[in-house]
Amino acid sequence: MHLDLPLERLIQLPQVVAGECSYGGVLSALAGELRSISPFDHLDMVILVDDGRDHLCFETPVSTVWSSFAKEPKPTGVSPARSVLKGHVPHILTGDAFKDKRFHFSGAINQPIYDATLRSRIIVPLRVRGAIFGSISISRHSVMSYTVRDLIIGQHCADLIAPYLFALKTEHGRALQYANEADALRGSLLKLAGHLEGERKRLGMDLHDQTIADLSRIAHKLSTGIDANVDLKPVLAELHADVISCLNELRRIVDDARPAMLELFGFAEAVEQCMIRARSGMARPIRLRFEEDTKAAFDQMNDGERTLIYRIVQEGINNALQHSRGQTLIVRMWLENGSGCIDIEDDGIGGLDWHSPRGVSHMRIRAAIVGARITVTSNKNGGGTRLRLVVPLPDSSIEIIA
């Protein structure tokens, strides 16, 4: 059977769509070329997303509710073209879609077939390496308008532009992934900025409420002693005690801003001392257990990353002691698969959201900056919570501890 196919026109299709940067642009370019080869009243294209679970849809020249799927994908199972998209049939050629049961099933979004009078229809798959990633549909208002020749032309069109569409789909997916990652990064940076602003305000309040008040009191005592022309010996002794107290408070504030133990004695010692200091401020008795076998691997990190990891551990220890109501705190540090692992475990009230959601949020932001992972788990009996921090270590530290 000789079908007299317009091969020269078909071969030009890849050049016609080349340079189009959107699915709608490709569909419009295809429509302009196809109109003189196989006339149509409506042309639509489906692209599968989310591993085929959902689909996008694009139309020309008439838009129906299907066009909304370009921005809000719908499940593939509700598409009237699902039998082709799922590979149940190789194609569809129908003389009257109003009566064709393949388009009419429970949940099908098929109202546009009636609204746009899409009676004669051809649906062919878009394939790359044998895998279906979409379809092309050609329709006319009149019944019995298409033949096998039109079906073959439609499939040739789909085959010729499929590689370009697949490349566009891949780039679109990457762009969407990058956009989502950028949005997540912006959100994390905004949270971090808010956290840093909170830390700045806390530092200012500490200085204002304690240190400045102490210095003001010292200045007042000096002024009183000088003006009254009294015996300065007891005044100086009292002032000396006040100055020592003020210096100790300043050391605490400075240490909170830049942990001295971390600088002087290393990461493991700083974590153990952090546990001891945190317990000293608790009214209830707390049992501490510290287990460490990292061979100073965390100290091979750069200062900024090491400080961020220390802040995470510090927040975790304070969180567990202040909110868990537990009586035991255990911190374990070890090496595993090129990473440094840290567990902070209590025997308190438990709960998968842990004890302070805000504190966990700050920890997750810091962890994301250095590429670390945080997981929080609760014991099955509800008695206690464990936070695990997994930190990828630099190659140099892995070589040193080998």
Side-chain angles (χ1 to χ4, degrees), residues 69-137:
F69 303 168
K71 295 182 178 179
E72 298 180 6
K74 294 292 184 181
T76 303
V78 303
S79 169
R82 72 175 186 180
S83 57
V84 172
L85 295 170
K86 293 178 177 292
H88 297 160
V89 297
H91 53 255
I92 291 178
L93 170 62
T94 184
D96 190 354
F98 283 15
K99 301 177 181 179
D100 194 321
K101 293 182 179 180
R102 289 174 291 186
F103 299 111
H104 310 294
F105 51 86
S106 177
I109 302 180
N110 54 14
Q111 189 59 38
I113 292 176
Y114 300 103
D115 294 342
T117 320
L118 310 180
R119 308 203 69 156
S120 293
R121 300 202 79 199
I122 291 173
I123 303 179
V124 293
L126 290 164
R127 289 191 184 91
V128 165
R129 297 176 182 174
I132 297 172
F133 69 91
S135 66
I136 298 288
S137 300

Side-chain angles (χ1 to χ4, degrees), residues 252 272-288 317-318 321-322 329:
R252 182 193 66 79
E272 186 173 14
Q273 290 301 314
C274 177
M275 296 174 65
I276 296 171
R277 287 200 308 272
R279 181 179 63 176
S280 66
M282 303 301 299
R284 69 181 188 277
I286 305 290
R287 294 184 296 273
L288 300 180
I317 290 171
N318 290 333
L321 289 180
Q322 293 174 16
L329 175 69

Side-chain angles (χ1 to χ4, degrees), residues 289-309:
R289 194 165 89 207
F290 180 68
E291 301 174 5
E292 188 270 330
D293 185 18
T294 60
K295 301 177 176 64
F298 285 100
D299 293 313
Q300 306 305 317
M301 304 177 72
N302 67 54
D303 289 344
E305 291 179 339
R306 188 178 63 158
T307 301
L308 281 173
I309 297 301

Side-chain angles (χ1 to χ4, degrees), residues 142-348:
S142 55
V143 299
M144 308 303 293
S145 298
Y146 290 128
T147 64
V148 173
R149 175 183 180 275
D150 299 299
L151 173 64
I152 294 174
I153 289 174
Q155 188 62 71
H156 279 318
C157 290
D159 292 342
L160 287 166
I161 68 172
Y164 189 82
L165 283 169
F166 187 77
L168 193 64
K169 179 177 185 289
T170 303
E171 289 303 315
H172 177 76
R174 288 174 180 166
L176 184 60
Q177 178 184 357
Y178 293 152
N180 290 338
E181 290 176 352
D183 287 343
L185 179 59
R186 280 193 292 270
S188 294
L189 289 176
L190 286 173
K191 287 182 180 179
L192 180 60
H195 177 55
L196 291 175
E197 178 63 16
E199 290 293 310
R200 185 189 67 79
K201 289 180 179 178
R202 182 191 61 78
L203 181 61
M205 289 175 64
D206 284 348
L207 290 171
H208 180 272
D209 295 345
Q210 188 67 42
T211 308
I212 294 177
D214 288 343
L215 291 173
S216 297
R217 187 173 65 256
I218 292 171
H220 177 71
K221 288 181 179 180
L222 282 171
S223 175
T224 302
I226 293 171
D227 292 343
N229 194 24
V230 297
D231 184 7
L232 293 180
K233 190 171 183 179
V235 175
L236 289 174
E238 188 177 350
L239 287 173
H240 179 265
D242 288 342
V243 170
I244 294 299
S245 175
C246 186
L247 285 172
N248 288 335
E249 182 63 19
L250 277 173
R251 286 192 184 99
R252 182 193 66 79
I253 293 172
V254 171
D255 188 53
D256 282 346
R258 185 176 179 85
M261 287 295 299
L262 188 64
E263 300 290 331
L264 296 174
F265 300 105
F267 188 85
E269 183 70 19
V271 170
E272 186 173 14
Q273 290 301 314
C274 177
M275 296 174 65
I276 296 171
R277 287 200 308 272
R279 181 179 63 176
S280 66
M282 303 301 299
R284 69 181 188 277
I286 305 290
R287 294 184 296 273
L288 300 180
R289 194 165 89 207
F290 180 68
E291 301 174 5
E292 188 270 330
D293 185 18
T294 60
K295 301 177 176 64
F298 285 100
D299 293 313
Q300 306 305 317
M301 304 177 72
N302 67 54
D303 289 344
E305 291 179 339
R306 188 178 63 158
T307 301
L308 281 173
I309 297 301
Y310 175 78
R311 290 304 187 196
I312 295 171
V313 176
Q314 184 182 46
E315 182 81 35
I317 290 171
N318 290 333
N319 201 356
L321 289 180
Q322 293 174 16
H323 302 289
S324 73
R325 305 177 195 168
Q327 297 178 330
T328 302
L329 175 69
I330 303 171
V331 175
R332 299 184 181 92
M333 298 169 49
W334 73 99
L335 303 176
E336 185 175 309
N337 298 325
S339 296
C341 304
I342 303 173
D343 274 0
I344 302 171
E345 187 172 348
D346 64 66
D347 61 351

